Amino acid sequence: MNWKTSALLSTLYDHAVQNRALSSLGARVLWNYDIDHLRSTIATQDPHALTLDIPCGGGIAIHGTRHVAADLSQIMLRRARRRTATLLQADLYALPFPTSTFDACLTYNGLHCLDDPATALRELARVLRPGGALTGTTLVRGTNRDPLITLFQHLDIFGNPGTTDDLRTWLTTAGLTAIDLTRIGAVTGFTARK
């Protein structure tokens, strides 16, 4: 299964995420995660900051007029179009922006789907302006949900999620500082600065 081409997977995922009751139940049952953490993180975004949101999925984090929503999947971009017109199909490993373009970068619930999250984080750090913030969430190993993560890997839905310690190392290696990690269940929320 491929996030870029699987219409069924993308549509089902986005429908669940957009539905408040389904997303709360799914996050709690699957990952022992309180999705209100994600909602409160999204609510604190600066609507005036030039922001890159990748993968944007169906657009739940779109907030403000200076928000660039990007995703590898055209299916997800079509779903995000209902929230913004500033959409771009882009590969997280090779962003089509000059160095130091954005005030903020967001990457919610996408790193665990990648084969090389460390490279993706370096690329996000590259397009951040000095002083800019990177904010996101990702599923991590090292919890009692590892068998489910392994199953999703075998189904080719997930890539190579690391542990919370791996995430800290990847952020540090990307040249980011002021790293703050918050693990809730199998999900770690993070912020860091360039």
Side-chain angles (χ1 to χ4, degrees), residues 33-48:
Y33 179 61
D34 181 356
I35 203 157
D36 285 338
H37 171 260
L38 175 62
R39 290 184 185 120
S40 67
T41 301
I42 290 170
T44 63
Q45 291 172 203
D46 179 354
H48 305 293

Side-chain angles (χ1 to χ4, degrees), residues 52-167:
L52 173 64
D53 176 6
I54 184 168
C56 68
I60 65 165
I62 293 173
H63 188 70
T65 57
R66 301 186 70 208
H67 195 110
V68 177
D71 205 295
L72 189 60
S73 168
Q74 278 293 334
I75 298 158
M76 287 301 205
L77 289 172
R78 280 193 297 275
R79 297 186 70 80
R81 187 166 309 284
R82 64 192 163 196
R83 295 180 180 261
T84 186
T86 311
L87 299 168
L88 176 70
Q89 186 172 16
D91 184 338
L92 193 45
Y93 297 127
L95 296 171
F97 305 106
T99 298
S100 301
T101 299
F102 293 96
D103 301 315
C105 290
L106 311 174
T107 185
Y108 295 118
N109 299 330
L111 291 178
H112 53 266
C113 296
L114 303 174
D115 289 329
D116 188 358
T119 296
L121 288 170
R122 283 193 304 273
E123 186 64 356
L124 286 167
R126 180 188 68 78
V127 300
L128 263 179
R129 291 182 179 145
L134 171 63
T135 303
T137 57
T138 188
L139 287 160
V140 294
R141 290 194 165 281
T143 73
N144 63 356
R145 298 306 200 259
D146 285 2
L148 187 56
I149 289 172
T150 300
L151 172 65
F152 278 37
Q153 285 178 299
H154 287 303
L155 294 173
D156 201 25
I157 296 171
F158 285 2
N160 285 316
T163 64
T164 299
D165 289 340
D166 292 331
L167 178 59

